[in-house]
Amino acid sequence: MNKALRKVVIAGNWKMNKTPAEAKELIAAIAPLVKDADCEVVACTPFVDLTSAQEAAAGTNIQIGAENCHWEVSGAYTGEISAQMLTSMGVNIVIIGHSERRQYFGETDVTVQKRVRAALDAGLTVILCVGETLEQREQGITSELVAMQTKIALGGVTEEELKRIIIAYEPVWAIGTGKTATAEQANEVCHTIRECIASVYSQAAADGITIQYGGSMNAGNAAELLAQPDVDGGLIGGASLKPNDFATIVKAATEG
């Protein structure tokens, strides 16, 4: 982390977990544990939980975000949620391009770019996810692949708009598997992403952008990962559903 240059963000990605009532209970349990955080704290919840989570987070330092949005404002897209629907609810942050969206629901680099554009146009801050599979890592193309994903997703995004982009590096092979990139591996790819931003925009833009690690960060490894110079927070999956574990990660970001 480098708090002098950029903000540190710990964001929970709840995935398809928790009913509205359970969401309210979880936020209520987390809130007192992270109230003194020296970083931004976000909980990205399923759409049906947003209102309950917002109610529970009112008056706390926890921001409530969404897990996805569509690229159109409205239309015949059964089951989808537009960026405008999110902002109408007071939501100001959304995850785009998570590997599970790519793997299970047909997201491509092109549709990720369209969703990023729509989210920015609606005034949202975007957590943009990029990362490689195990096969791609073993082929030695991690750097090229992650740079390509980043460049395509940010197509048409201005340097001013980039201030509302957070990039989450999530090695697909480390999500939900219990495997984690070493702190050095995580930092290496986060640094590659930063170099990519510098080449497309400027060194100032690269220095200022928050790059999270999103591959099974947990209470046990958070401090080591967050001690890396190019790791500016975490996109937290399973551990975000456990108040004490999530609070431990936030504490590591605060004390780092």
Side-chain angles (χ1 to χ4, degrees), residues 100 105 236 248:
E100 290 159 2
F105 303 108
I236 316 300
T248 297

Side-chain angles (χ1 to χ4, degrees), residues 10-65:
I10 302 297
N13 174 20
W14 290 12
K15 308 189 180 184
M16 195 178 71
N17 291 292
K18 303 300 179 183
T19 65
E22 290 169 340
K24 188 172 289 188
E25 291 175 359
L26 181 54
I27 293 294
I30 292 172
L33 302 177
V34 301
K35 62 182 177 64
D36 297 321
D38 181 29
C39 64
E40 292 193 14
V41 182
V42 183
C44 294
T45 80
F47 183 76
V48 297
D49 293 343
L50 288 172
T51 297
S52 291
Q54 287 173 320
E55 291 172 354
T60 76
N61 61 327
I62 301 174
Q63 300 178 60
I64 302 301

Side-chain angles (χ1 to χ4, degrees), residues 10-251:
I10 302 297
N13 174 20
W14 290 12
K15 308 189 180 184
M16 195 178 71
N17 291 292
K18 303 300 179 183
T19 65
E22 290 169 340
K24 188 172 289 188
E25 291 175 359
L26 181 54
I27 293 294
I30 292 172
L33 302 177
V34 301
K35 62 182 177 64
D36 297 321
D38 181 29
C39 64
E40 292 193 14
V41 182
V42 183
C44 294
T45 80
F47 183 76
V48 297
D49 293 343
L50 288 172
T51 297
S52 291
Q54 287 173 320
E55 291 172 354
T60 76
N61 61 327
I62 301 174
Q63 300 178 60
I64 302 301
E67 297 179 4
N68 189 33
C69 72
H70 197 263
W71 58 82
E72 293 290 352
V73 174
S74 62
Y77 302 100
T78 302
E80 290 286 336
I81 304 298
S82 73
Q84 287 75 12
M85 290 175 180
L86 296 178
T87 57
S88 74
M89 299 175 68
V91 173
N92 60 14
I93 190 166
V94 62
I95 299 170
I96 300 289
H98 192 278
S99 65
E100 290 159 2
R101 297 295 311 172
R102 298 176 191 251
Q103 180 178 356
Y104 301 126
F105 303 108
E107 290 279 1
T108 67
D109 292 334
V110 173
T111 62
V112 167
Q113 186 275 332
K114 292 170 70 173
R115 292 178 195 266
V116 168
R117 181 70 265 162
L120 290 174
D121 286 345
L124 291 163
T125 291
V126 172
I127 298 176
L128 166 64
C129 300
V130 298
E132 83 284 13
T133 65
L134 181 59
E135 181 182 15
Q136 290 162 339
R137 172 164 280 274
E138 290 175 343
Q139 290 171 338
I141 60 172
T142 294
S143 294
E144 295 94 327
L145 180 93
V146 170
M148 182 185 72
Q149 289 178 332
T150 301
K151 289 178 181 179
I152 293 174
L154 296 178
V157 174
T158 67
E159 188 161 335
E160 183 63 28
E161 290 173 326
L162 193 68
K163 295 175 182 177
R164 288 190 284 123
I165 298 282
I166 296 165
I167 298 178
Y169 166 54
E170 40 159 37
V172 179
W173 49 272
I175 298 171
T177 63
K179 297 179 181 179
T180 309
T182 65
E184 292 74 21
Q185 286 174 323
N187 189 72
E188 179 182 11
V189 182
C190 288
H191 183 70
T192 295
I193 294 169
R194 204 173 301 284
E195 289 184 323
C196 175
I197 296 297
S199 71
V200 175
Y201 294 96
S202 68
Q203 189 59 52
D207 289 341
I209 193 166
T210 297
I211 303 177
Q212 301 172 313
Y213 175 70
S216 296
M217 183 183 284
N218 56 52
N221 61 28
E224 183 182 12
L225 286 162
L226 292 168
Q228 299 298 309
D230 284 301
V231 178
D232 308 315
L235 182 59
I236 316 300
S240 69
L241 302 174
K242 303 172 183 177
N244 290 329
D245 286 10
F246 189 63
T248 297
I249 296 169
V250 171
K251 183 179 180 182

